[in-house]
Amino acid sequence: GRVLATAQERSAGLLVAAYEAASADAEIAALVDRHLLQRETTAGWIVDGMAARGRLRQDCGREGAVDVAWTLIDPVVYRRLTGARAWSTDRYRDWLTDALHRLLLDPPRTEEEP
């Protein structure tokens, strides 16, 4: 969450502006397309890291988990929360970390569970 929040703080505004401009400029549209692929790669990195620790939810599947992470790290989400909702970057970081854990990781087992 910390790495992603820091990156969002630096680049989200520019990326959101690029998303808006993409329909009017082919070069910007190509840049946006590259960013979307990069975001998918980053989401896959997050999911694969969780899976490597054996903690990824079994009912989610890799593709579904990547979709969840991809959505949560959207710069538009960051901008809406830190702009319109006046969240700090630290609050976004904590929320993102918690959301990724809740949505993608198996819940902790209790001692009674086999």
XYZ file of all heavy atoms in Angstrom:
891
model
N 0.804 -1.196 0.000
C 0.000 0.000 0.000
C 0.850 1.264 0.000
O 0.524 2.235 -0.659
N 1.943 1.244 0.750
C 2.796 2.432 0.858
C 3.390 2.811 -0.503
O 3.335 3.972 -0.907
C 3.904 2.182 1.886
C 4.810 3.371 2.132
C 5.909 3.057 3.142
N 6.962 2.222 2.566
C 7.108 0.910 2.766
N 6.290 0.251 3.532
N 8.085 0.234 2.201
N 3.922 1.823 -1.214
C 4.541 2.086 -2.516
C 3.498 2.622 -3.494
O 3.736 3.600 -4.206
C 5.210 0.808 -3.065
C 5.652 0.983 -4.506
C 6.384 0.410 -2.191
N 2.334 1.992 -3.515
C 1.286 2.408 -4.446
C 0.745 3.792 -4.100
O 0.503 4.609 -4.995
C 0.170 1.377 -4.478
C 0.585 0.037 -5.080
C -0.462 -1.019 -4.780
C 0.813 0.156 -6.563
N 0.544 4.075 -2.826
C 0.028 5.388 -2.422
C 1.009 6.490 -2.795
O 0.606 7.556 -3.286
C -0.264 5.403 -0.924
N 2.297 6.234 -2.597
C 3.316 7.223 -2.962
C 3.312 7.472 -4.472
O 3.382 8.617 -4.918
C 4.710 6.748 -2.489
O 4.670 6.591 -1.069
C 5.788 7.731 -2.859
N 3.203 6.406 -5.244
C 3.150 6.552 -6.706
C 1.893 7.304 -7.127
O 1.947 8.168 -8.016
C 3.212 5.182 -7.375
N 0.772 7.001 -6.507
C -0.479 7.686 -6.839
C -0.358 9.179 -6.529
O -0.807 10.018 -7.311
C -1.645 7.093 -6.045
C -1.984 5.671 -6.398
C -2.782 5.545 -7.683
O -2.572 6.262 -8.648
N -3.696 4.607 -7.699
N 0.239 9.500 -5.394
C 0.389 10.896 -5.004
C 1.157 11.680 -6.066
O 0.832 12.825 -6.369
C 1.098 10.966 -3.649
C 1.156 12.347 -3.050
C 1.739 12.325 -1.652
O 2.656 11.513 -1.372
O 1.271 13.120 -0.826
N 2.181 11.045 -6.642
C 3.009 11.703 -7.650
C 2.348 11.791 -9.019
O 2.539 12.753 -9.743
C 4.340 10.961 -7.808
C 5.317 11.162 -6.701
C 6.705 10.643 -7.068
N 6.699 9.381 -7.786
C 6.861 8.186 -7.220
N 7.041 8.092 -5.933
N 6.859 7.095 -7.953
N 1.579 10.758 -9.407
C 1.186 10.671 -10.815
C -0.312 10.657 -11.095
O -0.704 10.806 -12.252
C 1.804 9.420 -11.437
O 1.283 8.254 -10.806
N -1.155 10.485 -10.117
C -2.587 10.306 -10.381
C -3.207 11.485 -11.118
O -3.997 11.299 -12.040
C -3.343 10.019 -9.088
N -2.858 12.694 -10.730
C -3.435 13.871 -11.394
C -3.124 13.907 -12.879
O -4.002 14.151 -13.713
N -1.877 13.635 -13.207
C -1.460 13.609 -14.607
C -2.163 12.495 -15.376
O -2.629 12.701 -16.502
C 0.058 13.431 -14.694
C 0.657 13.371 -16.089
C 0.387 14.664 -16.848
C 2.148 13.099 -15.994
N -2.277 11.340 -14.759
C -2.923 10.211 -15.431
C -4.402 10.467 -15.660
O -4.929 10.167 -16.739
C -2.715 8.928 -14.642
C -1.285 8.406 -14.684
C -1.069 7.343 -13.622
C -0.964 7.868 -16.071
N -5.076 11.038 -14.685
C -6.503 11.351 -14.858
C -6.681 12.365 -15.991
O -7.581 12.229 -16.823
C -7.129 11.835 -13.533
C -8.530 12.372 -13.752
C -7.141 10.697 -12.506
N -5.806 13.358 -16.062
C -5.860 14.328 -17.164
C -5.618 13.636 -18.505
O -6.284 13.930 -19.507
C -4.841 15.436 -16.936
N -4.681 12.695 -18.525
C -4.410 11.953 -19.760
C -5.617 11.130 -20.173
O -5.944 11.041 -21.365
C -3.179 11.062 -19.583
N -6.296 10.513 -19.210
C -7.508 9.754 -19.533
C -8.522 10.650 -20.234
O -9.163 10.247 -21.204
C -8.153 9.176 -18.274
C -7.402 8.067 -17.577
C -7.832 7.619 -16.339
C -6.278 7.463 -18.132
C -7.163 6.597 -15.671
C -5.614 6.448 -17.470
C -6.059 6.017 -16.234
O -5.415 5.013 -15.579
N -8.672 11.856 -19.730
C -9.630 12.799 -20.320
C -9.207 13.235 -21.714
O -10.044 13.401 -22.599
C -9.794 14.022 -19.407
C -10.441 13.724 -18.081
C -11.879 13.248 -18.217
O -12.616 13.766 -19.062
O -12.251 12.329 -17.460
N -7.920 13.419 -21.919
C -7.419 13.919 -23.206
C -7.281 12.826 -24.261
O -7.151 13.125 -25.452
C -6.069 14.595 -23.001
N -7.315 11.583 -23.859
C -7.047 10.472 -24.782
C -8.003 10.435 -25.970
O -7.599 10.063 -27.072
C -7.089 9.145 -24.031
N -9.233 10.824 -25.768
C -10.197 10.766 -26.882
C -9.901 11.804 -27.969
O -10.354 11.652 -29.099
C -11.619 10.945 -26.360
O -11.770 12.233 -25.802
N -9.108 12.814 -27.644
C -8.826 13.870 -28.611
C -7.419 13.805 -29.195
O -7.102 14.559 -30.106
C -9.021 15.241 -27.946
N -6.579 12.901 -28.693
C -5.197 12.882 -29.141
C -4.689 11.439 -29.182
O -4.654 10.758 -28.150
C -4.340 13.727 -28.181
C -2.914 13.888 -28.652
O -2.169 12.876 -28.620
O -2.543 15.014 -29.030
N -4.265 10.997 -30.358
C -3.831 9.611 -30.545
C -2.576 9.283 -29.735
O -2.450 8.167 -29.215
C -3.581 9.335 -32.028
N -1.648 10.212 -29.617
C -0.428 9.950 -28.849
C -0.748 9.779 -27.369
O -0.184 8.912 -26.698
C 0.584 11.070 -29.057
C 1.228 11.047 -30.432
C 2.278 12.134 -30.574
O 3.068 12.337 -29.625
O 2.302 12.780 -31.632
N -1.631 10.610 -26.861
C -2.031 10.489 -25.458
C -2.820 9.195 -25.262
O -2.642 8.500 -24.258
C -2.822 11.722 -24.987
C -1.900 12.946 -24.982
C -3.420 11.495 -23.604
C -2.579 14.250 -24.654
N -3.649 8.841 -26.231
C -4.399 7.580 -26.141
C -3.436 6.395 -26.073
O -3.657 5.454 -25.297
C -5.340 7.438 -27.332
N -2.356 6.429 -26.842
C -1.361 5.353 -26.803
C -0.670 5.315 -25.438
O -0.418 4.234 -24.893
C -0.334 5.537 -27.918
N -0.395 6.478 -24.881
C 0.196 6.550 -23.544
C -0.742 5.958 -22.501
O -0.320 5.187 -21.630
C 0.515 8.010 -23.202
C 1.047 8.279 -21.803
C 2.450 7.731 -21.649
C 1.017 9.769 -21.514
N -2.021 6.280 -22.594
C -3.016 5.738 -21.670
C -3.100 4.219 -21.812
O -3.155 3.495 -20.811
C -4.388 6.415 -21.877
C -5.496 5.652 -21.174
C -4.341 7.860 -21.392
N -3.102 3.735 -23.036
C -3.143 2.286 -23.256
C -1.947 1.600 -22.600
O -2.092 0.550 -21.967
C -3.169 1.956 -24.752
C -4.496 2.277 -25.401
O -5.500 2.460 -24.674
O -4.529 2.349 -26.650
N -0.757 2.200 -22.716
C 0.441 1.639 -22.079
C 0.293 1.662 -20.559
O 0.682 0.713 -19.876
C 1.699 2.385 -22.518
C 2.147 2.017 -23.920
C 3.555 2.507 -24.228
N 3.775 3.927 -24.041
C 3.527 4.870 -24.955
N 3.049 4.531 -26.145
N 3.767 6.133 -24.699
N -0.270 2.739 -20.042
C -0.465 2.812 -18.586
C -1.445 1.743 -18.114
O -1.243 1.131 -17.064
C -0.957 4.191 -18.147
C -1.301 4.200 -16.698
N -2.593 4.068 -16.252
C -0.525 4.239 -15.595
C -2.591 4.047 -14.934
N -1.354 4.161 -14.510
N -2.514 1.517 -18.864
C -3.479 0.492 -18.461
C -2.833 -0.891 -18.425
O -3.093 -1.688 -17.514
C -4.693 0.509 -19.390
C -5.580 1.753 -19.285
C -6.650 1.727 -20.370
C -6.192 1.878 -17.903
N -1.970 -1.171 -19.387
C -1.234 -2.446 -19.376
C -0.267 -2.509 -18.191
O -0.131 -3.552 -17.549
C -0.484 -2.645 -20.692
C -1.346 -2.972 -21.904
C -0.500 -2.972 -23.176
C -2.047 -4.297 -21.722
N 0.383 -1.392 -17.919
C 1.294 -1.342 -16.780
C 0.531 -1.539 -15.472
O 1.003 -2.233 -14.567
C 2.044 -0.015 -16.763
C 3.035 0.099 -15.623
C 3.743 1.441 -15.617
O 3.300 2.395 -16.242
N 4.836 1.513 -14.894
N -0.647 -0.953 -15.368
C -1.460 -1.117 -14.164
C -1.884 -2.572 -14.007
O -1.892 -3.115 -12.904
C -2.677 -0.192 -14.210
C -3.345 -0.062 -12.853
C -4.321 1.079 -12.827
N -5.652 0.555 -13.001
C -6.615 1.132 -13.684
N -6.422 2.272 -14.291
N -7.798 0.579 -13.773
N -2.192 -3.237 -15.117
C -2.540 -4.662 -15.062
C -1.332 -5.481 -14.594
O -1.472 -6.401 -13.777
C -3.016 -5.158 -16.425
C -3.438 -6.606 -16.404
C -3.984 -7.086 -17.743
O -4.138 -6.278 -18.674
O -4.258 -8.291 -17.836
N -0.151 -5.130 -15.068
C 1.066 -5.806 -14.631
C 1.285 -5.603 -13.133
O 1.617 -6.546 -12.409
C 2.282 -5.292 -15.432
O 2.070 -5.580 -16.813
C 3.578 -5.924 -14.961
N 1.081 -4.381 -12.665
C 1.236 -4.083 -11.241
C 0.215 -4.865 -10.418
O 0.547 -5.430 -9.373
C 1.094 -2.574 -10.984
O 2.111 -1.885 -11.716
C 1.219 -2.247 -9.501
N -1.024 -4.920 -10.884
C -2.060 -5.688 -10.185
C -1.670 -7.167 -10.138
O -1.841 -7.828 -9.109
C -3.412 -5.503 -10.866
N -1.131 -7.690 -11.221
C -0.666 -9.073 -11.245
C 0.472 -9.303 -10.275
O 0.528 -10.338 -9.599
N 1.371 -8.338 -10.165
C 2.484 -8.424 -9.219
C 1.958 -8.499 -7.788
O 2.439 -9.294 -6.980
C 3.390 -7.219 -9.430
C 4.482 -7.058 -8.423
C 5.641 -7.766 -8.334
C 4.499 -6.110 -7.355
N 6.383 -7.316 -7.277
C 5.709 -6.295 -6.660
C 3.621 -5.117 -6.934
C 6.054 -5.537 -5.556
C 3.972 -4.352 -5.825
C 5.170 -4.572 -5.159
N 0.959 -7.677 -7.476
C 0.349 -7.693 -6.138
C -0.259 -9.068 -5.868
O -0.012 -9.684 -4.828
C -0.730 -6.599 -6.022
C -0.093 -5.219 -6.052
C -1.582 -6.789 -4.765
C -1.095 -4.084 -6.263
N -1.052 -9.551 -6.802
C -1.735 -10.839 -6.637
C -0.732 -11.980 -6.542
O -0.850 -12.857 -5.675
C -2.737 -11.059 -7.792
C -3.257 -12.484 -7.821
C -3.887 -10.054 -7.679
N 0.263 -11.981 -7.399
C 1.259 -13.055 -7.376
C 2.042 -13.049 -6.068
O 2.391 -14.106 -5.541
C 2.193 -12.956 -8.574
C 1.487 -13.250 -9.884
O 0.384 -13.844 -9.868
O 2.038 -12.874 -10.937
N 2.307 -11.867 -5.526
C 2.980 -11.784 -4.239
C 2.144 -12.395 -3.132
O 2.663 -13.107 -2.261
N 0.852 -12.141 -3.159
C -0.038 -12.737 -2.161
C -0.115 -14.256 -2.350
O -0.073 -15.006 -1.384
C -1.426 -12.106 -2.250
C -1.457 -10.664 -1.820
S -3.121 -9.987 -2.028
C -3.003 -8.512 -1.028
N -0.213 -14.682 -3.585
C -0.301 -16.121 -3.879
C 0.983 -16.841 -3.467
O 0.936 -17.968 -2.975
C -0.596 -16.343 -5.351
N 2.134 -16.202 -3.656
C 3.406 -16.818 -3.293
C 3.504 -17.072 -1.796
O 4.221 -17.973 -1.361
C 4.569 -15.935 -3.750
N 2.777 -16.289 -1.042
C 2.754 -16.482 0.403
C 1.676 -17.490 0.805
O 1.450 -17.728 1.979
C 2.513 -15.158 1.102
C 3.681 -14.185 0.960
C 3.315 -12.822 1.499
N 4.341 -11.832 1.278
C 4.531 -11.167 0.148
N 3.773 -11.412 -0.904
N 5.478 -10.266 0.044
N 0.971 -18.045 -0.203
C -0.059 -19.036 0.058
C -1.300 -18.473 0.720
O -2.044 -19.186 1.366
N -1.533 -17.206 0.537
C -2.617 -16.553 1.254
C -3.758 -16.094 0.351
O -4.749 -15.585 0.822
C -2.069 -15.348 2.009
C -0.992 -15.729 3.013
C -0.442 -14.532 3.715
N -1.493 -13.885 4.481
C -1.367 -12.702 5.049
N -0.251 -12.029 4.928
N -2.355 -12.176 5.723
N -3.628 -16.229 -0.958
C -4.657 -15.751 -1.874
C -5.937 -16.573 -1.722
O -5.885 -17.793 -1.624
C -4.153 -15.843 -3.312
C -4.983 -15.177 -4.388
C -5.065 -13.669 -4.161
C -4.374 -15.455 -5.750
N -7.054 -15.891 -1.704
C -8.339 -16.589 -1.578
C -8.500 -17.581 -2.716
O -8.306 -17.249 -3.877
C -9.484 -15.581 -1.621
C -9.571 -14.722 -0.404
C -10.627 -13.685 -0.582
N -11.910 -14.335 -0.844
C -13.054 -13.929 -0.322
N -13.082 -12.892 0.475
N -14.161 -14.551 -0.607
N -8.899 -18.772 -2.377
C -9.066 -19.825 -3.369
C -10.303 -19.601 -4.233
O -10.347 -20.036 -5.373
C -9.137 -21.188 -2.681
C -7.856 -21.550 -1.952
C -6.650 -21.564 -2.876
O -6.683 -22.201 -3.910
N -5.603 -20.863 -2.506
N -11.311 -18.930 -3.706
C -12.554 -18.727 -4.445
C -12.500 -17.547 -5.408
O -13.447 -17.282 -6.126
C -13.733 -18.550 -3.478
C -13.606 -17.319 -2.598
O -12.505 -16.738 -2.505
O -14.613 -16.931 -1.986
N -11.386 -16.867 -5.448
C -11.268 -15.668 -6.276
C -10.670 -15.980 -7.646
O -11.124 -15.468 -8.649
C -10.414 -14.647 -5.529
S -10.484 -12.987 -6.181
N -9.630 -16.802 -7.681
C -8.916 -17.064 -8.921
C -7.999 -15.910 -9.262
O -8.248 -14.766 -8.882
N -6.924 -16.192 -9.974
C -5.950 -15.148 -10.275
C -6.562 -14.019 -11.100
O -6.363 -12.852 -10.800
C -4.737 -15.723 -11.003
C -3.661 -14.647 -11.204
C -2.449 -15.150 -11.957
N -1.394 -14.155 -11.967
C -1.349 -13.106 -12.804
N -2.291 -12.929 -13.706
N -0.350 -12.238 -12.738
N -7.294 -14.370 -12.143
C -7.861 -13.332 -13.015
C -8.802 -12.409 -12.244
O -8.746 -11.188 -12.377
C -8.594 -13.969 -14.194
C -9.080 -12.956 -15.213
C -9.726 -13.606 -16.421
O -9.373 -14.749 -16.777
O -10.599 -12.963 -17.024
N -9.665 -12.994 -11.431
C -10.577 -12.190 -10.623
C -9.843 -11.326 -9.617
O -10.196 -10.169 -9.385
N -8.788 -11.886 -9.015
C -7.993 -11.134 -8.051
C -7.269 -9.969 -8.724
O -7.204 -8.864 -8.177
C -6.997 -12.064 -7.360
N -6.742 -10.207 -9.932
C -6.092 -9.120 -10.679
C -7.109 -8.026 -10.988
O -6.801 -6.835 -10.868
C -5.413 -9.656 -11.964
C -4.993 -8.514 -12.884
C -4.217 -10.530 -11.606
N -8.322 -8.396 -11.359
C -9.361 -7.392 -11.638
C -9.652 -6.529 -10.410
O -9.814 -5.312 -10.514
C -10.649 -8.063 -12.114
C -10.537 -8.642 -13.514
O -9.569 -8.321 -14.231
O -11.432 -9.432 -13.881
N -9.717 -7.167 -9.242
C -9.974 -6.432 -8.008
C -8.829 -5.458 -7.737
O -9.056 -4.264 -7.486
C -10.174 -7.401 -6.816
C -10.142 -6.655 -5.482
C -11.476 -8.169 -6.974
N -7.599 -5.946 -7.774
C -6.443 -5.081 -7.516
C -6.362 -3.976 -8.561
O -6.093 -2.811 -8.225
C -5.162 -5.913 -7.507
N -6.599 -4.304 -9.816
C -6.548 -3.324 -10.913
C -7.525 -2.178 -10.657
O -7.207 -1.010 -10.870
C -6.869 -4.041 -12.226
C -6.768 -3.222 -13.466
C -5.655 -3.001 -14.219
C -7.839 -2.539 -14.129
N -5.972 -2.222 -15.307
C -7.306 -1.925 -15.271
C -9.192 -2.385 -13.858
C -8.065 -1.158 -16.141
C -9.960 -1.631 -14.721
C -9.394 -1.028 -15.855
N -8.706 -2.524 -10.175
C -9.714 -1.501 -9.896
C -9.310 -0.637 -8.707
O -9.412 0.594 -8.753
C -11.077 -2.161 -9.629
O -11.457 -2.906 -10.792
C -12.147 -1.136 -9.308
N -8.831 -1.259 -7.653
C -8.488 -0.511 -6.443
C -7.322 0.446 -6.646
O -7.255 1.493 -5.997
C -8.171 -1.472 -5.297
C -9.351 -2.273 -4.754
C -8.870 -3.264 -3.702
C -10.425 -1.368 -4.186
N -6.398 0.105 -7.554
C -5.242 0.986 -7.772
C -5.456 1.968 -8.926
O -4.517 2.651 -9.338
C -3.939 0.177 -7.957
C -3.967 -0.676 -9.214
C -3.649 -0.656 -6.715
C -2.636 -1.364 -9.537
N -6.674 2.092 -9.380
C -6.995 3.063 -10.427
C -6.713 4.480 -9.910
O -7.159 4.841 -8.826
C -8.480 2.931 -10.794
C -8.877 3.739 -12.009
O -8.321 4.840 -12.221
O -9.758 3.275 -12.741
N -5.957 5.293 -10.665
C -5.674 6.649 -10.210
C -6.938 7.494 -10.025
O -6.950 8.427 -9.223
C -4.756 7.240 -11.275
C -4.748 6.286 -12.401
C -5.283 4.982 -11.928
N -7.993 7.175 -10.742
C -9.254 7.901 -10.564
C -9.807 7.656 -9.156
O -10.302 8.582 -8.507
C -10.284 7.510 -11.653
C -11.635 8.129 -11.380
C -9.776 7.901 -13.035
N -9.689 6.424 -8.661
C -10.132 6.115 -7.295
C -9.322 6.944 -6.305
O -9.875 7.574 -5.395
C -10.011 4.602 -6.997
C -10.266 4.302 -5.529
C -10.956 3.808 -7.888
N -8.008 6.969 -6.483
C -7.152 7.770 -5.607
C -7.572 9.243 -5.627
O -7.739 9.869 -4.578
C -5.679 7.635 -6.014
C -4.784 8.587 -5.261
C -4.322 8.256 -3.994
C -4.433 9.810 -5.807
C -3.515 9.140 -3.291
C -3.625 10.696 -5.106
C -3.176 10.358 -3.848
O -2.383 11.242 -3.147
N -7.760 9.797 -6.816
C -8.106 11.217 -6.935
C -9.472 11.521 -6.315
O -9.659 12.558 -5.697
C -8.100 11.655 -8.404
C -6.730 11.678 -9.040
C -5.908 12.806 -8.531
N -6.521 14.053 -8.990
C -6.000 15.242 -8.860
N -4.844 15.382 -8.276
N -6.609 16.306 -9.302
N -10.422 10.631 -6.484
C -11.745 10.867 -5.894
C -11.679 10.853 -4.374
O -12.306 11.667 -3.705
C -12.748 9.853 -6.403
C -13.062 10.030 -7.879
C -14.364 9.388 -8.268
N -14.507 9.343 -9.699
C -14.960 10.338 -10.451
N -15.291 11.471 -9.895
N -15.074 10.200 -11.759
N -10.924 9.910 -3.838
C -10.836 9.812 -2.381
C -10.010 10.942 -1.774
O -10.391 11.501 -0.738
C -10.264 8.453 -1.968
C -11.189 7.261 -2.248
C -10.468 5.949 -1.946
C -12.479 7.365 -1.457
N -8.892 11.300 -2.407
C -8.041 12.349 -1.841
C -8.485 13.750 -2.263
O -8.125 14.719 -1.603
C -6.564 12.152 -2.231
O -6.435 12.188 -3.650
C -6.034 10.841 -1.673
N -9.272 13.831 -3.317
C -9.783 15.131 -3.756
C -11.181 15.373 -3.231
O -11.387 16.092 -2.250
N -12.146 14.741 -3.858
C -13.555 14.970 -3.528
C -13.889 14.599 -2.089
O -14.714 15.253 -1.450
C -14.449 14.188 -4.494
N -13.259 13.559 -1.560
C -13.563 13.103 -0.193
C -12.553 13.605 0.827
O -12.686 13.350 2.007
C -13.658 11.575 -0.135
C -14.661 10.965 -1.120
C -16.059 11.522 -1.042
N -16.596 11.396 0.294
C -17.602 12.117 0.765
N -18.186 13.007 0.012
N -18.014 11.943 1.990
N -11.521 14.324 0.373
C -10.525 14.978 1.222
C -9.728 14.011 2.113
O -9.318 14.355 3.212
C -11.172 16.074 2.074
N -9.507 12.783 1.610
C -8.667 11.849 2.352
C -7.203 12.258 2.210
O -6.789 12.798 1.181
C -8.806 10.437 1.794
C -10.067 9.716 2.126
C -11.254 10.239 2.552
C -10.266 8.312 2.035
N -12.173 9.251 2.730
C -11.594 8.044 2.426
C -9.451 7.249 1.663
C -12.127 6.764 2.452
C -9.983 5.969 1.687
C -11.304 5.733 2.081
N -6.404 11.954 3.199
C -4.958 12.112 3.081
C -4.410 10.907 2.311
O -5.079 9.867 2.209
C -4.310 12.173 4.465
O -4.425 10.916 5.113
N -3.198 11.052 1.810
C -2.558 9.913 1.145
C -2.356 8.774 2.138
O -2.493 7.603 1.774
C -1.229 10.342 0.500
O -1.519 11.325 -0.510
C -0.501 9.175 -0.145
N -2.072 9.100 3.385
C -1.920 8.048 4.400
C -3.225 7.286 4.609
O -3.214 6.056 4.753
C -1.450 8.639 5.728
C -0.005 9.085 5.699
O 0.740 8.684 4.775
O 0.385 9.844 6.602
N -4.336 8.006 4.623
C -5.625 7.318 4.788
C -5.896 6.420 3.583
O -6.372 5.296 3.736
C -6.753 8.333 4.969
C -8.091 7.672 5.213
C -9.177 8.670 5.514
N -10.458 7.984 5.704
C -11.615 8.596 5.770
N -11.682 9.917 5.710
N -12.718 7.901 5.907
N -5.609 6.917 2.373
C -5.770 6.092 1.172
C -4.887 4.847 1.276
O -5.333 3.741 0.988
C -5.409 6.902 -0.083
C -5.272 6.039 -1.320
C -6.396 5.634 -2.032
C -4.027 5.600 -1.756
C -6.268 4.811 -3.152
C -3.898 4.793 -2.866
C -5.024 4.398 -3.561
O -4.900 3.588 -4.657
N -3.630 5.021 1.673
C -2.709 3.885 1.814
C -3.286 2.827 2.748
O -3.305 1.648 2.420
C -1.371 4.385 2.361
C -0.352 3.282 2.602
C 0.708 3.684 3.603
N 0.082 3.969 4.892
C 0.429 4.979 5.692
N 1.394 5.806 5.359
N -0.181 5.158 6.847
N -3.774 3.269 3.897
C -4.336 2.330 4.873
C -5.584 1.644 4.323
O -5.770 0.438 4.498
C -4.650 3.037 6.182
C -3.407 3.543 6.894
O -2.277 3.106 6.548
O -3.554 4.393 7.799
N -6.437 2.412 3.657
C -7.652 1.845 3.061
C -7.301 0.825 1.980
O -7.863 -0.271 1.937
C -8.527 2.953 2.473
C -9.636 2.429 1.636
C -10.841 1.960 2.054
C -9.631 2.279 0.200
N -11.586 1.535 0.974
C -10.869 1.720 -0.163
C -8.699 2.576 -0.794
C -11.204 1.449 -1.489
C -9.034 2.306 -2.109
C -10.269 1.742 -2.446
N -6.367 1.173 1.096
C -5.976 0.284 0.011
C -5.409 -1.019 0.563
O -5.796 -2.108 0.116
C -4.944 0.969 -0.889
C -4.376 0.120 -2.022
C -5.474 -0.292 -2.990
C -3.274 0.872 -2.740
N -4.536 -0.911 1.535
C -3.948 -2.104 2.140
C -5.034 -2.975 2.754
O -5.080 -4.194 2.533
C -2.903 -1.705 3.192
O -1.885 -0.921 2.563
C -2.275 -2.926 3.848
N -5.935 -2.365 3.516
C -7.016 -3.110 4.151
C -7.933 -3.743 3.106
O -8.310 -4.915 3.225
C -7.815 -2.189 5.079
C -8.911 -2.923 5.812
O -8.606 -3.882 6.552
O -10.090 -2.538 5.638
N -8.296 -2.977 2.069
C -9.192 -3.495 1.033
C -8.566 -4.678 0.298
O -9.229 -5.696 0.061
C -9.563 -2.383 0.047
N -7.291 -4.564 -0.056
C -6.612 -5.670 -0.733
C -6.583 -6.907 0.156
O -6.846 -8.021 -0.311
C -5.190 -5.265 -1.144
C -5.089 -4.294 -2.310
C -3.673 -3.732 -2.416
C -5.511 -4.938 -3.622
N -6.286 -6.714 1.424
C -6.259 -7.852 2.353
C -7.633 -8.487 2.479
O -7.772 -9.713 2.390
C -5.758 -7.415 3.722
C -4.290 -7.177 3.762
N -3.636 -6.814 4.902
C -3.337 -7.240 2.804
C -2.355 -6.682 4.654
N -2.148 -6.922 3.377
N -8.651 -7.676 2.695
C -10.000 -8.213 2.904
C -10.548 -8.927 1.661
O -11.234 -9.936 1.771
C -10.964 -7.098 3.295
C -10.778 -6.597 4.698
C -11.725 -5.430 4.941
N -11.506 -4.838 6.220
C -12.292 -5.042 7.270
N -13.340 -5.825 7.171
N -12.026 -4.457 8.417
N -10.260 -8.371 0.501
C -10.833 -8.915 -0.723
C -10.030 -10.054 -1.342
O -10.596 -10.880 -2.058
C -11.015 -7.801 -1.761
C -12.054 -6.741 -1.378
C -11.963 -5.555 -2.338
C -13.446 -7.333 -1.359
N -8.735 -10.105 -1.068
C -7.892 -11.070 -1.773
C -7.261 -12.145 -0.902
O -6.793 -13.152 -1.434
C -6.777 -10.330 -2.532
C -7.240 -9.338 -3.592
C -6.044 -8.703 -4.272
C -8.162 -9.996 -4.599
N -7.223 -11.951 0.392
C -6.556 -12.924 1.255
C -7.563 -13.794 1.983
O -8.642 -13.336 2.356
C -5.681 -12.216 2.291
C -4.533 -11.387 1.740
C -3.753 -10.754 2.895
C -3.611 -12.213 0.868
N -7.164 -15.056 2.211
C -7.974 -15.930 3.049
C -8.070 -15.312 4.430
O -7.074 -14.782 4.946
C -7.329 -17.314 3.175
C -7.651 -18.211 1.994
O -8.741 -18.072 1.420
O -6.799 -19.046 1.662
N -9.246 -15.384 5.048
C -9.343 -14.874 6.419
C -8.492 -15.731 7.346
O -8.274 -16.916 7.077
C -10.831 -14.990 6.751
C -11.409 -15.897 5.734
C -10.497 -15.912 4.548
N -8.014 -15.131 8.425
C -7.216 -15.936 9.365
C -8.048 -17.071 9.935
O -9.250 -16.920 10.171
C -6.832 -14.938 10.466
C -7.243 -13.599 9.985
C -8.172 -13.767 8.838
N -7.413 -18.210 10.132
C -8.098 -19.366 10.713
C -8.127 -19.235 12.228
O -7.182 -18.699 12.820
C -7.394 -20.659 10.333
C -7.539 -20.973 8.869
C -6.938 -22.303 8.570
N -7.215 -22.609 7.170
C -6.743 -23.654 6.565
N -5.984 -24.506 7.208
N -7.027 -23.875 5.310
N -9.193 -19.754 12.799
C -9.270 -19.807 14.254
C -8.666 -21.124 14.718
O -8.472 -22.047 13.914
C -10.734 -19.700 14.728
O -11.462 -20.836 14.243
C -11.382 -18.423 14.236
N -8.404 -21.232 15.989
C -7.801 -22.457 16.519
C -8.723 -23.647 16.370
O -8.267 -24.781 16.320
C -7.407 -22.252 17.976
C -6.221 -21.313 18.098
C -5.706 -21.231 19.515
O -5.828 -22.223 20.255
O -5.185 -20.176 19.866
N -10.041 -23.429 16.326
C -10.987 -24.540 16.197
C -11.030 -25.124 14.792
O -11.443 -26.244 14.593
C -12.424 -24.099 16.580
C -12.587 -23.729 18.029
C -12.536 -22.221 18.230
O -13.039 -21.479 17.382
O -11.962 -21.789 19.241
N -10.615 -24.336 13.780
C -10.656 -24.803 12.403
C -9.551 -25.820 12.145
O -8.450 -25.670 12.661
C -10.510 -23.638 11.432
C -11.696 -22.693 11.433
C -11.500 -21.587 10.420
O -11.772 -21.843 9.234
O -11.087 -20.501 10.813
N -9.862 -26.828 11.327
C -8.822 -27.827 10.990
C -7.749 -27.265 10.099
O -7.884 -26.374 9.399
C -9.596 -28.933 10.284
C -10.897 -28.343 9.874
C -11.123 -27.136 10.731
